[in-house]
Amino acid sequence: MTTTLTGTARPRRFATVRHSAVLAQRSLLKTTRNPGPIMNGVVTPALFMILFLYLFGRPVAGSTGEYLQYLFPGILVMGAGLAGMISTGSAINLDLKNGVTDRFRSLPISRTAPLLGSVAADVLRYLIAVSILFVIGIPLGFRIQGGIYAALGATGLAILFGFCLSWVTVFIGVIVKSAEAVLAFSFIAFLPLQLGSSLASPTDTLPGWLKAWADINPVTHVMDACRALLNGTPDAGSIGRTLLWSAILFVVFCPLAVRAYGRQE
């Protein structure tokens, strides 16, 4: 006697991917009703770019045009995750606090899907932010000297790093008690990562104590890699360090976030 498997008994392939895609769509729909996070992800880097360009352009590089070639790749990294990552953990924390997560757990979906879906939606927001930064930067005088493929490579590196770094704020969003605490922790981490780097000037020009931090800061490696690609001088060392740091952040904080999320049940 043979038995035929029914449709409900068949293994559900790629279930986590499908569930994450649906929840990413939910996150994007929330953005259309509350565009604050994406506006912050675009406006904050754009303001940094304009302020730094006209405050430090002539003193640092002698002209705003030359300085923009140096500054823009750092602003690109800021737009591809750093400025928007603060909202990532806050959104997850609010879902936990408001009982939305309890509803998710009552559904036959992967337990990692709510986290992965939220981060995946952020990646799309980062892509939009980066595109807008190019639209602003090119009229200001920035030129992609490495060609279109180098520009795509720099964008991909910046977004990959932003995706991996987002898991840090996801972990914070799961373990702390309020969205305000998530914002506080993320902002405190944001400042030394962003400003203690090669964003505004080469690390060789920094004081010794700050240079020591900037040289090991993973954000510096990402900025240097994107800067080299966009200026047509690819640097295998900085690209390799960017990929290594991205892997470390993902391997460490993604499991921590998923485990902490599971303990909330």
Side-chain angles (χ1 to χ4, degrees):
M1 180 178 178
T2 60
T3 304
T4 303
L5 291 175
T6 63
T8 57
R10 294 172 184 165
R12 302 178 66 185
R13 295 181 179 179
F14 308 111
T16 300
V17 175
R18 294 198 304 271
H19 300 158
S20 300
V22 172
L23 292 175
Q25 183 180 15
R26 166 186 175 266
S27 180
L28 293 172
L29 287 174
K30 287 173 60 180
T31 300
T32 61
R33 301 186 184 97
N34 178 26
I38 194 170
M39 290 298 295
N40 176 66
V42 174
V43 172
T44 300
L47 284 177
F48 267 83
M49 178 168 64
I50 293 171
L51 288 174
F52 279 33
L53 179 62
Y54 292 106
L55 285 175
F56 305 128
R58 293 188 182 280
V60 173
S63 71
T64 55
E66 291 183 15
Y67 187 58
L68 184 59
Q69 290 299 128
Y70 178 88
L71 177 67
F72 183 83
I75 298 297
L76 183 73
V77 174
M78 181 188 286
L82 282 172
M85 74 176 190
I86 296 177
S87 64
T88 305
S90 299
I92 292 171
N93 185 272
L94 286 173
D95 282 346
L96 284 165
K97 184 178 179 181
N98 295 334
V100 177
T101 301
D102 294 331
R103 173 59 177 161
F104 290 156
R105 289 176 180 139
S106 70
L107 300 174
I109 64 173
S110 167
R111 290 295 181 261
T112 61
L115 303 182
L116 188 57
S118 179
V119 177
D122 285 333
V123 169
L124 182 56
R125 286 190 279 263
Y126 299 159
L127 183 60
I128 295 172
V130 166
S131 301
I132 294 175
L133 285 175
F134 273 108
V135 170
I136 296 172
I138 289 175
L140 287 175
F142 178 74
R143 295 296 176 261
I144 303 172
Q145 298 176 348
I148 185 63
Y149 292 111
L152 291 174
T155 300
L157 273 180
I159 291 178
L160 172 65
F161 181 76
F163 168 81
C164 296
L165 188 63
S166 291
W167 287 100
V168 178
T169 55
V170 170
F171 176 60
I172 294 172
V174 173
I175 63 174
V176 303
K177 299 300 183 182
S178 68
E180 291 78 11
V182 177
L183 291 173
F185 279 115
S186 300
F187 189 73
I188 290 171
F190 171 87
L191 286 179
L193 280 174
Q194 184 64 66
L195 299 181
S197 67
S198 61
L199 170 65
S201 63
T203 58
D204 292 339
T205 66
L206 302 176
W209 63 271
L210 185 54
K211 180 181 183 302
W213 160 248
D215 285 340
I216 63 172
N217 184 353
V219 175
T220 295
H221 303 316
V222 187
M223 290 180 177
D224 289 346
C226 292
R227 188 171 290 118
L229 285 168
L230 289 171
N231 289 328
T233 56
D235 180 3
S238 59
I239 293 173
R241 287 188 290 270
T242 297
L243 295 175
L244 178 61
W245 270 110
S246 298
I248 290 172
L249 289 169
F250 181 77
V251 169
V252 172
F253 285 98
C254 178
L256 285 175
V258 171
R259 190 177 298 114
Y261 187 76
R263 290 175 181 169
Q264 298 292 326
E265 296 185 2

